Every structure is written in structure tokens, then in C-alpha cells.
Amino acid sequence: MATDGGGCEADLGSRSLLRLVSFCVLLAGLCEGNSVEKKIYIPLNKTAPCVRLLNATHQIGCQSSVSGDTGVIHVVQKEEDLQWVLTDGPNPPYVVLLEGTLFTRNLMEKLKGRTSRIAGLAVSLAKPSPASGFSPSVQCPSDGFGVYSNSYGPEFAHCREIAWNPLGDGLAYEDFSFPIFLLEDENETNVIKQCYRDHNLSQNGSAPAFPLCAMQLFSHMHAVISTVTCMRRSFIQSSFSINPEIVCDPLSDYNVWSMLKPVNISETLEPDDKVVVAATRLDSRSFFWNVAPGAESAVASFVTQLAAAEALQKAPDVTTLPRNVMFVFFQGETFDYIGSSRMVYDMKNGKFPVQLENIDSFVELGQVALRNSLELWMHTDPMSQKNETVQNQVEELLTTLEKSGAGVPTVVLRRLSRSQPLPPSSLQRFLRAQNISGVVLADHSAVFQNHYYQSIYDTAENINVTYPEGQSPEEDLNFVTDTAKALAGVATVLGRALYQLAGGTNFSHTIQADPQTVTRLLYGFLVRANNSWFQSILRPDLRSYLGDGPLQHYIAVSSPTNTTYVVQYALANLTGKVIDLTREQCQDPSKVPTENKDLYEYAWVQGPLNSNETDRLPRCVRSTARLARALSPAFELKQWGSTEYSTWTESRWKDIRARIFLIASKELEFITLMVGFGVLVFSLVVTYCINAKADVLFIAPREPGSVSY
């Protein structure tokens, strides 16, 4: 009996040891697998994909297959290099590494016609920006969603009179069946080119020898066809599935707005309460997802309006002006006026404190950073001015602007022919709902001055925001550029005009925008968001929103976006008041009898650094800066095929990434497969034979006999 017990213990010990050895082998295999993967693949970490967007009628953008698309890399530095990719190259499909200057509609059409030989496209940034300009947008932005149509101003509909963006080639509104990525890091681009030179460069036109350098691009999109299709699928999934698979989301975010004098947001204004609206847009876009620097198309204008709001708030008699002023920053205007159409919808339905009948006049900032000879052009709508009352109001508005600009030597205001239509602007959405006196201020009299409208090159350099070499980031932050001075002049004109339009008379000459404010805003939005001033104006939990590069101004589907938050808090800090409340009181002002959350918004911000520059001095800022939903009414009404409202959605995806590696020839891959299959068959045969002769090969030990004494 003692012997039997010892055998059981030995058997249990052997099994435990076997399990331990098996676990160690498995763990080692996993570790070795990761190590092997790292040796095979080089991930590209700083890329931006082209993604799929959809509207009521069709889809645009790009996607890869479910498992990603792989192709041999071929560098195209001039158009003649395409011959190898399209016809001559013996190892298709290819992933084309395209120089940024060649990324045009004409070249893309050639690639689009030979998709069997194209696995994808990687685009490097052109430095400097293309001298001839580059705009992947259309020539008539937001066509069909402005005020002009076949029934209202048909001579102006579809940009018949002026194609506002003549350089627009519509590339960003095409649909591509292969993935397209932007290479944002020059070092990674150089790694790819070196891999190409080492392995793929043909000698005297002959085919290069294997192994070849290849790239794999993953960007499979879940949504297809149109917004109507993808929203219907998502709606059905949400209605009948416990774990619904949503395939697309509406483009949405928040508008930022504030009032010069506080209004009760739980009520609507009386009809006799008049408001002057100062408006601009927050967003831009490019061909690539979330790469939207928008320096001229958006940033310069909303920075100017922020500076004007600060200057106007400092006027001594703002609380006693006969009319109020509303500053509004619209989101999603790039995609058929999402923000402005939603605000008009809310005003018409009593869901916003200000109603359409409260609007006395409307002043909008368009693109304002690229002025020629100091000129700022005043655009008005010829159709609404057929009404004599509106015409007189517009005339008064223009005269007020001219008077406001007379004392600012850096700005010269110019009128345009009354027969010229409005450029693409938020004002158009308000005019669709009601005749109001409005003007759009812009740096162009006709076509856009911006040669990089809605492109990756609409950066700080495009509006001449540059800094002396050798300065620290803090010195750059506070360095007043020439562009900042020019925009401060425009902000001064706007501030003074708004003051007079609101009924002010005594202190117009004292309103002066601060170039220091403008230069800090430009630096933060276009150069480096993570700076000491932006840190000081944000809540502590929003610090992660500030990166070491510029902010991007794409509306996206997750909201509020970084830009929206920063603009809201910049507006709050520039126009609000620091009040003596504790953190708890600031976060819940209802506990303080003297404060009213229906009138004000309260924010506990990090504050400036102390004298030792080691800790910050947090404080409570009270302002009227608020957020209002910028979701197209089409999705509120479930009218996914609407022609009245924007219907843009963004497809969902599972994985977006890019990597390079070496691939063997098809012959070697086939030989490897056959050898592996042969080893498998051989191992199965050996296993079968061993199992069949197991009684001979593995003789069980005899049971020990009885112990005799």
C-alpha cells in the first residue's frame, strides 16, 4: 500500500511539472511571436487616413478591404514614374508613395482607372506648399444649401455668377476604392524611401530582385452607399438588437455663443428686444481625416471675433446699450451649414433664447487674413434688398461699418456692387428663413484669395504667421506678428461697429482690440496648443486636449471637439469676470444666493502661474459663453434624405493603421507553403504510425508484487 501511494504522488508531481513546462513554452512562444512581429513590421505611427463620408445621395472618401490592402512600394516623384505602376511594373499591386505636389485630381483619375494594379496610396507633405495652390474642395462650396436656388435668385444659384473657389478640383468629394494615407512625419517618409531604394529600385528598367519593400494599409469602412442606407441600418440595429452595430454617425458638435448682456436661457426674449449678431465659423476640413488646419478659412476669422468680443466688453457703458450683441461661432459650416441651420431651426421652434424676430442686424466675418492693400470688402445680398425696408437697413449697416473703419488706418472698407451675390456664409441660412439686414466682411471682392482653401496647406505659413529663429516657445507665444497686428485692426473695426449698431455713441473711439490677444490665439490654434496661456484658461480636466502641435478644426462625430472647448473658454476668459467663489461653489453656483446659472456660465479654470512659476492660481470665471447643439435638424426629424438640411455622416471603422515590411516572391511563398504542408503530412503519418504501434513502443510497467517477509 505504501508503494501505491508513492506512485500516485509521483504521477501528480509529473503532471504538475508537465503543466508548468507547457505554460512556460506557451509564454515563451507568445513573447517570441511579439518579438518576431517587431522584427518583420515597421509601424507608421504618424499618418492620417482618408475616411468615408456619406450624405443623402452618395458616399465619398476611401477605404481598404477588410483585411487591409498590401502592395509593393513605388515612389512617384514625377508623373512619368506612374508608367511603372500602371503598366510596366511586374509585381502588382503597388502602393504608391506620392510626392505632395503631384496629389491632384488629374493624376488621381489615372490611378482610379487602374485599381487592379493599385493597392493604396501614401501621400507625403509638399514642402514648401505647392506654389500654384491646392484645394480639394469644390468650386461652389455648400452648393444647394445656401439662400440661392432656382426659385430665389436663380441667376446666382450654383455659383453661376462667381465660382468662389476657382482652384477647387473636387478631389475631396470623390469616392476611391483603395486606401489613401497622409504621411505626416518626414522621418517616417524617409524610412519608407530608404526601404524603397534598398529593395525596390530597378536597375536599367529591369525588375528588382526579391525581397521587395511593401506597405500594408488598414482603413476598412463599415458604412456604404449613402446616409439614408447607413442610418436605416443603424436604426434597425438599435431597435431590435441588444448589442447594436452602428455603422455611421452624424457629423455634429456644438456652436459657441455668448451675449454682451446676460439673458435668461430658460426663457425667450420679448419681440421688442433687439440683438445684433456677430458670427463666424469654427470648422474646416481637408482630404484627410482630422487634418484641418484652416488658418485662413476659419482660424483667422474666429480669432478676430474673439478679440473684438474682448474689446467690446471693455466699453464702459455696455450694460446700458439699447440693443444686445450676440457673438456666435458656428460649427460644421463646411458641411452644408450644420451649425447655422441648427440655430435657425431652434430659433424658429422656440428652443433658443433669441428668436429670429429679435435679430436687428447680422455681421459675419468670412476669410479676412489675406487682404490686399488693407482692403476689407463688404458683401451683401441683392435679393433681400429688393425690399425697400431691408435695403435701407443694409445701407445704414454699411455706413456704420465705414464710420467705424475711418479711425483705423490699417483697414480700408470697400463696398461692392449691389448686384453681386453673397459668398458662402452662415448669413445665407438666416436669409432662407427671414429677410434681415446683413453683411459679410471678407478679404476678397470676388473669388477667394485663399489658394489652399480646405486643404492640408492652409496653415500658419499661408497667412504669414512666422517667428524669429532661436526663440523659446514662450517667446513665440508673446511675439506680436504682422498678421496679428493686421487682424487686430479688423477686430477693432468690428468691435466699434457692433458698439454703434447696439446703440452706443460715447465710447466708440476707446474700443481697441489687443494685438497681444490676437497673437496668443493664433499661436495656440495654429502652432502649439499646449502653451502657458491656453493652460491657464481651461478647466484642469481639459489639459489633455492641448497637444504640442496645432489644433485641428474638423467637426468630427465625438463632441465637443478640442477647438470648441478652447474657443468657449477663450471667450469666457476674454469677456467674463473672475469672481470670488470656491471650487465647490463655482461648480454648483445654485448654492450661492447671489449667483444665477440661468444668466451665467461658471468655470473653474487652472489660472496663471504664481510668482514662483511652480503652481497655478485657480479661479472661478463667470461669463455668458455657452454651447448650443450643432446637429443637423435632418437627424432630429429623421429626414435622412433631406435636401433642406445637411445630411453628412461619417462611417465607423474598426482599425486604421499602416506598416511596411519585406515580402518574398510568389514562388518562394508557394515553396514555403508546400514545405509546410509536407511537414504537416509527414508529422501526421509519423503520429499515426506511433499511435498504431504504441503497445509495442510504450510497454506499460508491471504492477509491483506483494512484499514478502
Side-chain angles (χ1 to χ4, degrees):
M1 296 296 295
T3 306
D4 288 342
C8 287
E9 289 176 5
D11 189 45
L12 288 172
S14 299
R15 289 179 182 176
S16 299
L17 181 60
L18 181 61
R19 287 172 185 158
L20 179 60
V21 170
S22 299
F23 175 76
C24 291
V25 169
L26 178 62
L27 185 62
L30 291 173
C31 294
E32 183 64 22
N34 290 334
S35 176
V36 169
E37 182 179 3
K38 290 178 181 178
K39 291 178 180 177
I40 294 175
Y41 299 106
I42 299 177
L44 304 175
N45 299 315
K46 294 184 179 180
T47 61
C50 161
V51 303
R52 175 167 290 166
L53 301 175
L54 310 97
N55 65 9
T57 57
H58 61 287
Q59 64 185 29
I60 64 173
C62 324
Q63 77 154 353
S64 73
S65 61
V66 176
S67 57
D69 290 330
T70 303
V72 175
I73 296 171
H74 188 74
V75 176
V76 174
Q77 295 179 313
K78 55 186 183 298
E79 196 163 341
E80 292 75 18
D81 295 339
L82 275 182
Q83 187 72 20
W84 182 267
V85 174
L86 299 178
T87 57
D88 297 346
N91 301 302
Y94 289 94
V95 170
V96 178
L97 175 53
L98 190 67
E99 293 295 327
T101 51
L102 297 177
F103 187 53
T104 63
R105 186 185 180 109
N106 289 337
L107 188 140
M108 292 302 296
E109 289 290 347
K110 294 179 181 179
L111 296 180
K112 198 174 180 181
R114 299 296 302 273
T115 54
S116 62
R117 293 182 61 88
I118 304 297
L121 190 70
V123 182
S124 63
L125 279 169
K127 292 184 179 180
S129 302
S132 58
F134 172 69
S135 175
S137 184
V138 291
Q139 294 188 357
C140 190
S142 299
D143 184 24
F145 290 87
V147 68
Y148 305 117
S149 65
N150 292 331
S151 59
Y152 184 91
E155 64 271 33
F156 307 128
H158 312 300
C159 298
R160 288 191 178 108
E161 183 165 310
I162 301 175
W164 295 100
N165 182 35
L167 292 176
D169 60 12
L171 186 61
Y173 291 84
E174 290 291 316
D175 185 42
F176 295 92
S177 59
F178 50 82
I180 303 176
F181 278 60
L182 174 68
L183 302 174
E184 299 183 274
D185 187 352
E186 191 173 355
N187 291 329
E188 287 189 344
T189 303
N190 291 334
V191 168
I192 299 170
K193 288 182 177 179
Q194 187 60 50
C195 185
Y196 166 78
R197 286 191 291 267
D198 291 344
H199 300 279
N200 297 9
L201 199 59
S202 62
Q203 301 295 330
N204 301 320
S206 60
F210 285 92
L212 299 176
C213 189
M215 184 182 296
Q216 190 172 28
L217 303 174
F218 297 85
S219 63
H220 181 68
M221 301 288 128
H222 294 175
V224 294
I225 302 175
S226 68
T227 288
V228 176
T229 301
C230 77
M231 288 299 293
R232 183 177 65 245
R233 289 177 178 174
S234 297
F235 179 74
I236 293 172
Q237 283 273 341
S238 301
S239 301
F240 299 103
S241 175
I242 298 175
N243 297 309
E245 182 182 348
I246 308 301
V247 296
C248 68
D249 301 282
L251 293 180
S252 66
D253 195 52
Y254 288 87
N255 298 323
V256 180
W257 67 283
S258 74
M259 303 297 294
L260 188 63
K261 295 182 289 184
V263 298
N264 193 324
I265 61 168
S266 62
E267 304 171 356
T268 57
L269 297 180
E270 296 296 326
D272 293 337
D273 296 331
K274 294 302 178 183
V275 175
V276 179
V277 177
T280 190
R281 66 174 57 191
L282 281 179
D283 68 304
S284 185
R285 70 164 301 200
S286 75
F287 186 90
F288 300 98
W289 182 75
N290 204 31
V291 181
E296 160 73 343
S297 60
V299 176
S301 55
F302 72 66
V303 162
T304 301
Q305 184 158 295
L306 286 169
E310 178 192 36
L312 180 57
Q313 193 72 44
K314 293 177 180 178
D317 60 342
V318 289
T319 57
T320 61
L321 293 176
R323 290 178 283 277
N324 210 337
V325 177
M326 180 172 80
F327 293 95
V328 58
F329 302 79
F330 291 118
Q331 262 286 14
E333 297 301 272
T334 299
F335 294 95
D336 301 336
Y337 307 117
I338 293 174
S340 56
S341 63
R342 178 54 186 264
M343 183 165 282
V344 170
Y345 174 82
D346 287 344
M347 286 180 170
K348 289 170 66 176
N349 290 280
K351 298 179 179 180
F352 193 77
V354 179
Q355 306 297 289
L356 285 171
E357 63 259 26
N358 297 126
I359 298 177
D360 178 76
S361 53
F362 195 107
V363 182
E364 181 174 354
L365 284 181
Q367 301 178 81
V368 294
L370 296 175
R371 289 181 292 137
N372 287 334
S373 304
L374 311 180
E375 291 175 328
L376 191 65
W377 298 91
M378 299 183 289
H379 297 258
T380 58
D381 171 45
M383 297 301 297
S384 59
Q385 291 186 73
K386 291 181 179 180
N387 180 304
E388 187 176 350
T389 302
V390 175
Q391 181 182 334
N392 293 334
Q393 291 172 340
V394 171
E395 180 64 31
E396 184 180 343
L397 174 58
L398 298 180
T399 301
T400 301
L401 280 163
E402 288 171 336
K403 288 180 180 177
S404 303
V408 183
T410 57
V411 180
V412 178
L413 287 155
R414 299 289 190 197
R415 295 195 184 202
L416 289 161
S417 168
R418 194 177 293 171
S419 63
Q420 181 170 309
L422 284 171
S425 54
S426 305
L427 174 58
Q428 293 201 31
R429 289 303 301 194
F430 283 80
L431 287 171
R432 278 179 76 134
Q434 179 176 300
N435 272 352
I436 58 176
S437 63
V439 62
V440 177
L441 302 177
D443 56 21
H444 54 89
S445 60
V447 300
F448 293 163
Q449 298 273 23
N450 187 3
H451 292 172
Y452 306 105
Y453 181 71
Q454 291 182 7
S455 86
I456 54 179
Y457 303 112
D458 191 8
T459 59
E461 290 76 15
N462 185 34
I463 60 172
N464 302 314
V465 174
T466 56
Y467 302 90
E469 293 184 6
Q471 289 191 159
S472 67
E474 194 67 21
E475 289 172 330
D476 285 345
L477 171 67
N478 294 294
F479 178 79
V480 179
T481 63
D482 291 339
T483 300
K485 295 174 185 176
L487 292 179
V490 177
T492 298
V493 172
L494 177 62
R496 292 179 180 181
L498 294 173
Y499 176 79
Q500 294 178 40
L501 291 169
T505 57
N506 299 325
F507 299 99
S508 178
H509 64 283
T510 66
I511 296 173
Q512 186 74 40
D514 186 2
Q516 188 75 44
T517 296
V518 176
T519 206
R520 286 178 170 181
L521 289 166
L522 289 174
Y523 180 81
F525 284 110
L526 296 176
V527 181
R528 184 185 175 92
N530 189 13
N531 60 73
S532 60
W533 190 61
F534 272 15
Q535 288 281 4
S536 71
I537 65 175
L538 289 182
R539 296 197 319 249
D541 60 305
L542 298 178
R543 285 178 296 184
S544 61
Y545 280 52
L546 303 178
D548 290 334
L551 290 173
Q552 302 299 327
H553 311 293
Y554 172 64
I555 179 175
V557 296
S558 57
S559 55
T561 62
N562 301 15
T563 296
T564 301
Y565 266 134
V566 176
V567 168
Q568 181 194 8
Y569 281 90
L571 183 62
N573 281 266
L574 292 172
T575 62
K577 181 181 179 181
V578 177
I579 57 176
D580 187 19
L581 293 181
T582 64
R583 179 171 184 166
E584 290 71 23
Q585 291 173 327
C586 190
Q587 293 174 341
D588 187 10
S590 60
K591 296 178 181 179
V592 183
T594 57
E595 301 299 332
N596 188 339
K597 200 162 186 180
D598 286 337
L599 293 178
Y600 297 102
E601 191 80 3
Y602 299 81
W604 184 259
V605 301
Q606 295 188 95
L609 292 168
N610 61 14
S611 56
N612 295 329
E613 297 191 355
T614 54
D615 298 312
R616 293 194 174 274
L617 303 172
R619 54 193 184 182
C620 185
V621 175
R622 184 183 69 188
S623 72
T624 61
R626 300 178 184 273
L627 300 179
R629 198 79 174 98
L631 170 68
S632 172
F635 299 101
E636 289 272 313
L637 302 169
K638 291 186 171 57
Q639 296 176 358
W640 303 320
S642 173
T643 57
E644 170 70 14
Y645 299 112
S646 171
T647 56
W648 285 105
T649 55
E650 179 184 274
S651 174
R652 289 195 178 185
W653 58 80
K654 183 178 180 180
D655 189 22
I656 286 183
R657 57 195 171 97
R659 59 188 185 182
I660 63 173
F661 56 99
L662 297 180
I663 59 171
S665 65
K666 298 295 182 184
E667 293 79 5
L668 181 57
E669 289 179 348
F670 180 76
I671 292 171
T672 304
L673 176 63
M674 289 298 100
V675 169
F677 183 72
V679 171
L680 174 63
V681 171
F682 177 75
S683 63
L684 290 175
V685 171
V686 171
T687 303
Y688 174 78
C689 294
I690 292 175
N691 187 60
K693 301 294 183 180
D695 55 338
V696 177
L697 297 173
F698 306 103
I699 302 174
R702 290 183 300 170
E703 291 291 332
S706 300
V707 180
S708 59
Y709 299 93

